[in-house]
Amino acid sequence: MIFSTALNDSIADTLSNIYQLLNVVQPLESASMVMGEAPKTVFYGDTTKKERVMLMGDSQCGGLRYPVYSYCALNGHKLLATVTWNSSTTKNWAYSDTLDYFLREYKPTLVIMCVGLNEILSSNMKSRKKYIQTINTKIAASGAKVFWLGPAAWVKDMGIIQTIKDVNGSMFFDA
């Protein structure tokens, strides 16, 4: 966990320095996209519909990109990008331009959202439900489907996991 945080911070600092050096405004100061050469592993498998997948969410995404890549490769899908927004919440994703930007840029057919870790101790689930619904609406408006991975809670949560599950039903996996 410490390594992935340091790596993401390093990438964010590098991007910030590049934007300063070029004297241009960073399009989205709140998120950093981590792309890298995918593992060169051969997988066999097929599904009837090949999805264009984008993994998005809080800092958990940095570590999840490899198993998501493996899932995609095994099933004939393509992982387009992993967008990691450290310390983000459902409110950040619902009301910033970050989600809209990456949906337009990559045009995924399936978005895997993994957010909620920073809301484990939050108790206002009414507002969180609204944020989750807004995220889902934005993704649906782009033409993509959404699947939610629950946060890897280190303590008993105050309701965020159940709220995500209630909103998403079978399109939710409790990690």
Side-chain angles (χ1 to χ4, degrees):
M1 192 66 139
I2 294 171
F3 175 74
S4 65
T5 301
L7 179 62
N8 283 337
D9 290 344
S10 175
I11 291 168
D13 290 343
T14 301
L15 286 173
S16 179
N17 291 340
I18 289 170
Y19 286 115
Q20 287 176 0
L21 181 66
L22 297 175
N23 197 28
V24 294
V25 176
Q26 184 175 356
L28 298 168
E29 294 178 1
S30 56
S32 65
M33 186 172 65
V34 179
M35 291 292 295
E37 192 68 44
K40 303 290 186 206
T41 307
V42 177
F43 293 100
Y44 301 95
D46 195 12
T47 61
T48 57
K49 182 163 192 268
K50 306 301 181 212
E51 300 286 357
R52 294 171 41 84
V53 179
M54 190 159 52
L55 173 63
M56 306 180 86
D58 56 31
S59 60
Q60 297 175 95
C61 288
L64 286 172
R65 71 186 181 130
Y66 295 109
V68 169
Y69 169 80
S70 294
Y71 168 81
C72 289
L74 179 63
N75 291 282
H77 308 302
K78 179 175 178 148
L79 179 60
L80 302 170
T82 298
V83 181
T84 301
W85 184 350
N86 291 333
S87 303
S88 66
T89 65
T90 53
K91 182 178 182 180
N92 298 133
W93 287 98
Y95 293 116
S96 71
D97 66 346
T98 303
L99 179 60
D100 300 319
Y101 173 83
F102 284 107
L103 290 171
R104 279 191 315 271
E105 187 71 21
Y106 287 93
K107 298 172 183 45
T109 59
L110 174 66
V111 174
I112 300 174
M113 286 299 302
C114 185
V115 67
L117 186 62
N118 300 304
E119 296 164 281
I120 292 292
L121 301 176
S122 299
S123 59
N124 183 351
M125 290 307 120
K126 185 177 180 182
S127 63
R128 298 309 190 274
K129 182 177 180 179
K130 180 181 171 190
Y131 304 149
I132 295 163
Q133 291 168 332
T134 299
I135 292 167
N136 287 349
T137 299
K138 286 182 174 192
I139 293 170
S142 78
K145 298 179 293 280
V146 62
F147 183 85
W148 286 74
L149 291 175
W154 72 95
V155 296
K156 181 166 175 29
D157 75 300
M158 302 291 289
I160 189 66
I161 295 172
Q162 188 62 49
T163 301
I164 297 171
K165 183 177 182 178
D166 289 348
V167 173
N168 294 287
S170 64
M171 296 304 283
F172 169 77
F173 178 79
D174 186 353

